[in-house]
Amino acid sequence: MASIALKTFIGLRQSSPENNSINFSKSLPTNQTHRRLRINASKSSPRVTGRNLRVAVIGGGPAGGAAAETLAKGGIETFLIERKMDNCKPCGGAIPLCMVGEFDLPLDIIDRKVTKMKMISPSNVAVDIGQTLKPHEYIGMVRREVLDAYLRDRAAEAGASVLNGLFLRMDMPKAPNSPYVLHYTSYDSKTNGAGEKCTLEVDAVIGADGANSRVAKSINAGDYEYAIAFQERIRISDDKMKYYENLAEMYVGDDVSPDFYGWVFPKCDHVAVGTGTVTHKADIKKFQLATRLRADSKITGGKIIRVEAHPIPEHPRPKRLQDRVALVGDAAGYVTKCSGEGIYFAAKSGRMCAEAIVEGSENGKRMVDESDLRKYLEKWDKTYWPTYKVLDILQKVFYRSNPAREAFVEMCADEYVQKMTFDSYLYKKVAPGNPIEDLKLAVNTIGSLVRANALRREMDKLSV
């Protein structure tokens, strides 16, 4: 929610990500099923004979589903391996408006269209956010089990082979252009749940298998800091659900998280209540209890229907690419600080990586190498790295103490901040600002921080 609130404060300007998109061979309608990429493959790459290029996508979340669909449409023999076809990741489930159009998502998989948000400070001062939204604008709320299944099904319709299996390890190529050998346990209907050990030879691998990525371990991609996200799905009465019909709540304070926020997000027939932390993982259940207490009467009497917990990466891995293996989504570490957003960036990175493979292989006719996959990383970093840096700064400035969080909530009451934040979040580009309003925002931000520091000093005196 705070995605670009300080953009003018640090002097960031960025062009639209669309300017960096891959060119297509001809103009096509945005809703056309098959899109053919312009051929720019290196002529020195050896041709694949007797078959098309084979690529395995490990992981069937938004990153894996988007990657597999793009590969299959681009002429690649595609295998998607996913263990939990009904996986319910503990995820707030918010997606920006631009994702609905970019990924042709049907409206019936969106549980709620959030047009109002409440940002609630440590002292329970609530600021209403959303007054600058246009009538057609909203934040979509989805359930991951619904979104993920839809993207996997669409990949299968495009020609990808979707395998219910657990990826175990892979053997590296023994010579240039020789295959990777993947080892996995297959759980199809014939094995009756026992599983069957299988192998698969492929020419390239996309690791979309989350924060605990086995693909990342296979290429020694290095570790990263991670948060623990904890979420309870709570079914509340119809009259209480009416309150959350198009409203989401975000709570900040040391009680709900020392370095993140707590949330209450509406779903189809229940609310998702959760929190997360990097620095105090052992206390996550205490923070979750505090989040429920803050929501108080609005969820009282509700029934917990599901409890979920999962690691969330805090920054990109030291290495995201090796030879013909690339990481995307959570496996690469593409979750933003401050807001904790990951769904859009997962799907976008999966698509970008797949596009680089399709383009580099001449639609599956040539072998690819590391230079082809590196184009995906270069495009990704150029397009989104500034956004990640801004949110990193925001988290360090405003999540460090309760007085700073009070200043943050105070700043969110500003209509200009809300407009810039929503415009940037909904369309994933830094919106052009008004120089005069930018200056006012900088002055107000400094003033809020000064007041926060003064309040913190007074609170420190009281605690002595």
Side-chain angles (χ1 to χ4, degrees):
M1 186 47 230
S3 57
I4 311 293
L6 270 189
K7 75 167 187 67
T8 52
F9 187 59
I10 66 169
L12 175 67
R13 285 290 187 270
Q14 181 187 349
S15 61
S16 167
E18 284 78 9
N19 294 336
N20 299 315
S21 60
I22 292 177
N23 293 321
F24 298 102
S25 57
K26 62 181 181 178
S27 177
L28 294 175
T30 56
N31 62 350
Q32 184 154 333
T33 302
H34 185 81
R35 295 184 289 185
R36 183 170 294 277
L37 298 172
R38 178 179 294 174
I39 304 305
N40 290 314
S42 169
K43 296 304 179 184
S44 62
S45 301
R47 282 195 169 274
V48 179
T49 57
R51 59 176 177 82
N52 282 9
L53 189 78
R54 303 163 301 183
V55 178
V57 180
I58 312 301
E69 180 187 19
T70 303
L71 290 169
K73 286 181 177 180
I76 309 296
E77 186 177 359
T78 307
F79 304 90
L80 188 156
I81 301 176
E82 168 60 42
R83 172 65 184 101
K84 297 180 179 179
M85 294 298 185
D86 59 348
N87 185 41
C88 303
K89 184 179 176 181
C91 170
I95 61 172
L97 181 62
C98 66
M99 184 174 180
V100 178
E102 283 186 49
F103 290 87
D104 298 321
L105 299 179
L107 295 182
D108 60 2
I109 72 168
I110 298 173
D111 286 342
R112 299 282 175 175
K113 295 181 178 180
V114 168
T115 56
K116 302 174 186 176
M117 297 190 74
K118 282 188 182 291
M119 179 70 70
I120 303 166
S121 78
S123 62
N124 278 329
V125 173
V127 168
D128 292 319
I129 300 172
Q131 58 198 29
T132 64
L133 286 177
K134 298 179 179 65
H136 70 283
E137 292 179 329
Y138 62 88
I139 297 172
M141 289 292 169
V142 298
R143 284 166 291 159
R144 283 292 302 274
E145 62 270 28
V146 175
L147 174 66
D148 295 4
Y150 173 78
L151 292 175
R152 285 195 302 269
D153 289 345
R154 204 162 69 177
E157 290 170 5
S161 297
V162 178
L163 309 176
N164 184 195
L166 175 64
F167 171 74
L168 302 172
R169 70 182 192 281
M170 63 181 171
D171 299 333
M172 298 300 171
K174 293 180 169 53
N177 301 320
S178 62
Y180 293 86
V181 180
L182 309 187
H183 298 261
Y184 69 99
T185 303
S186 174
Y187 294 96
D188 60 26
S189 57
K190 299 177 183 178
T191 60
N192 295 319
E196 178 184 359
K197 295 293 188 294
C198 299
T199 59
L200 176 68
E201 290 189 352
V202 295
D203 303 302
V205 179
I206 296 178
D209 49 339
N212 293 323
S213 171
R214 291 185 176 181
V215 176
K217 290 180 175 65
S218 297
I219 63 171
N220 297 314
D223 295 324
Y224 47 28
E225 280 288 344
Y226 66 93
I228 288 293
F230 190 96
Q231 178 173 274
E232 295 167 322
R233 300 195 189 198
I234 302 177
R235 182 166 289 132
I236 55 180
S237 62
D238 290 343
D239 61 318
K240 292 181 185 293
M241 198 68 211
K242 187 70 176 176
Y243 171 79
Y244 288 109
E245 182 177 9
N246 61 346
L247 170 73
E249 293 180 326
M250 297 171 67
Y251 296 86
V252 291
D254 283 332
D255 57 334
V256 299
S257 176
D259 53 343
F260 203 56
Y261 63 86
W263 65 83
V264 181
F265 288 169
K267 303 297 179 182
C268 58
D269 60 355
H270 61 276
V271 290
V273 182
T275 185
T277 180
V278 175
T279 58
H280 292 68
K281 298 180 181 70
D283 295 325
I284 188 67
K285 290 188 177 180
K286 180 180 73 174
F287 300 141
Q288 176 68 10
L289 176 60
T291 303
R292 289 207 310 266
L293 290 174
R294 285 272 218 110
D296 195 26
S297 60
K298 289 172 287 188
I299 62 171
T300 297
K303 178 183 179 182
I304 297 175
I305 58 176
R306 193 179 186 105
V307 179
E308 306 156 340
H310 200 273
I312 305 294
E314 275 290 287
H315 58 79
R317 287 189 189 272
K319 182 166 68 174
R320 292 169 284 161
L321 172 66
Q322 178 179 289
D323 197 12
R324 288 172 277 142
V325 179
L327 304 177
V328 296
D330 282 14
Y334 296 150
V335 175
T336 61
K337 288 193 175 182
C338 191
S339 64
E341 182 186 4
I343 296 177
Y344 173 82
F345 293 113
K348 192 71 173 179
S349 63
R351 175 179 281 182
M352 277 188 178
C353 185
E355 287 174 342
I357 293 174
V358 171
E359 187 173 358
S361 69
E362 292 186 353
N363 295 96
K365 303 306 180 186
R366 290 185 179 272
M367 183 61 66
V368 291
D369 58 28
E370 184 170 314
S371 66
D372 296 305
L373 274 66
R374 191 161 296 282
K375 291 176 183 177
Y376 136 66
L377 283 188
E378 291 170 353
K379 181 180 178 182
W380 175 268
D381 290 346
K382 181 179 179 181
T383 305
Y384 296 115
W385 197 253
T387 297
Y388 281 78
K389 293 304 294 181
V390 168
L391 294 173
D392 186 21
I393 292 170
L394 278 170
Q395 181 161 317
K396 289 175 179 175
V397 171
F398 288 110
Y399 284 12
R400 71 185 192 275
S401 68
N402 274 352
R405 296 183 187 101
E406 294 284 354
F408 175 62
V409 173
E410 176 186 324
M411 189 178 72
C412 288
D414 185 273
E415 185 173 323
Y416 182 67
V417 169
Q418 293 187 26
K419 182 181 186 306
M420 298 303 292
T421 299
F422 269 115
D423 286 352
S424 300
Y425 173 81
L426 293 177
Y427 303 107
K428 286 295 167 281
K429 59 185 179 182
V430 177
N434 179 305
I436 295 177
E437 293 296 331
D438 288 350
L439 180 60
K440 290 180 182 178
L441 173 59
V443 171
N444 290 340
T445 300
I446 294 171
S448 294
L449 291 172
V450 169
R451 288 192 294 276
N453 284 327
L455 178 58
R456 182 173 59 181
R457 286 195 295 269
E458 292 302 315
M459 292 177 68
D460 288 344
K461 291 178 184 178
L462 292 173
S463 64
V464 173

